[in-house]
């Protein structure tokens, strides 16, 4: 009986650890880590406007980049799909509301592996894509 209890407790702990999407995000993770960011902090001059740190203590900066801006819709769609959404027949996004992650306005989502970030602006309810640079 004690062995079954130990196995059950171990299984619950492991399942909880692996189901926490952003529990431990490293420089090589293909997951989205979220950070709160006010719209007034955004700049489009190519200078780093946001500094952050991943779970493994890797520092990064976010800045505007012309190529990433052109690919913004591509990254936005990847983010939505990674959150568990899919396109429905009417062109909108659908998903199982019990198992999906929702975007938050006023947050920037950083994907370290792709070296991109997607920001959801609460002022105009639109998204923007930015470049991510790791800082030594």
């Amino acid at each position: 009986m004690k062995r079954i209890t130990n196995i059950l407790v171990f299984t619950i702990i492991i399942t909880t650890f692996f189901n926490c999407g952003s529990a431990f995000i490293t420089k090589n993770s293909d997951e989205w880590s979220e950070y709160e960011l006010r719209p007034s902090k955004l700049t489009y001059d190519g200078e780093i406007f946001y500094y952050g740190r991943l779970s493994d203590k890797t520092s990064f900066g976010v800045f505007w980049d012309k190529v990433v801006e052109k690919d913004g819709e591509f990254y936005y769609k990847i983010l939505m799909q990674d959150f568990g959404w899919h396109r429905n027949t009417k062109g909108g996004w659908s998903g199982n509301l019990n198992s999906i992650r929702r975007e938050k306005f006023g947050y920037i989502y950083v994907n370290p592996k792709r070296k991109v970030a997607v920001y959801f602006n609460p002022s105009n309810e639109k998204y923007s894509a930015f470049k991510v640079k790791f800082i030594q």
Side-chain angles (χ1 to χ4, degrees), residues 20-42:
C20 294
S22 59
F24 192 75
I25 295 182
T26 68
K27 186 177 180 179
N28 299 316
S29 296
D30 191 15
E31 297 180 44
W32 299 89
S33 185
E34 68 181 31
Y35 304 89
E36 186 175 327
L37 179 65
R38 293 189 317 266
S40 61
K41 298 294 183 186
L42 297 177

Side-chain angles (χ1 to χ4, degrees), residues 15-133:
T15 303
T16 302
F17 176 75
F18 284 109
N19 284 338
C20 294
S22 59
F24 192 75
I25 295 182
T26 68
K27 186 177 180 179
N28 299 316
S29 296
D30 191 15
E31 297 180 44
W32 299 89
S33 185
E34 68 181 31
Y35 304 89
E36 186 175 327
L37 179 65
R38 293 189 317 266
S40 61
K41 298 294 183 186
L42 297 177
T43 62
Y44 297 87
D45 59 5
E47 297 296 320
I48 294 176
F49 62 83
Y50 181 79
Y51 291 93
R53 188 171 285 190
L54 301 173
S55 303
D56 68 352
K57 307 295 184 210
T58 301
S59 296
F60 65 88
V62 179
F63 59 97
W64 176 83
D65 178 80
K66 184 166 68 170
V67 174
V68 173
E69 180 182 53
K70 286 182 180 180
D71 293 335
E73 186 174 359
F74 170 78
Y75 293 118
Y76 165 73
K77 288 180 178 179
I78 288 173
L79 171 72
M80 295 301 286
Q81 291 168 356
D82 287 350
F83 277 12
W85 294 90
H86 60 272
R87 286 290 194 181
N88 60 32
T89 56
K90 297 179 183 173
W93 292 99
S94 299
N96 179 349
L97 297 179
N98 295 325
S99 64
I100 58 174
R101 187 171 167 192
R102 295 181 181 216
E103 76 279 8
K104 298 178 192 174
F105 288 103
Y107 282 77
I108 193 162
Y109 294 88
V110 174
N111 186 304
K113 184 176 181 180
R114 296 179 185 276
K115 295 182 182 170
V116 297
V118 176
Y119 180 71
F120 291 94
N121 197 322
S123 302
N124 59 15
E125 296 192 2
K126 295 188 182 212
Y127 65 88
S128 299
F130 299 95
K131 184 85 173 148
V132 172
K133 173 182 178 181

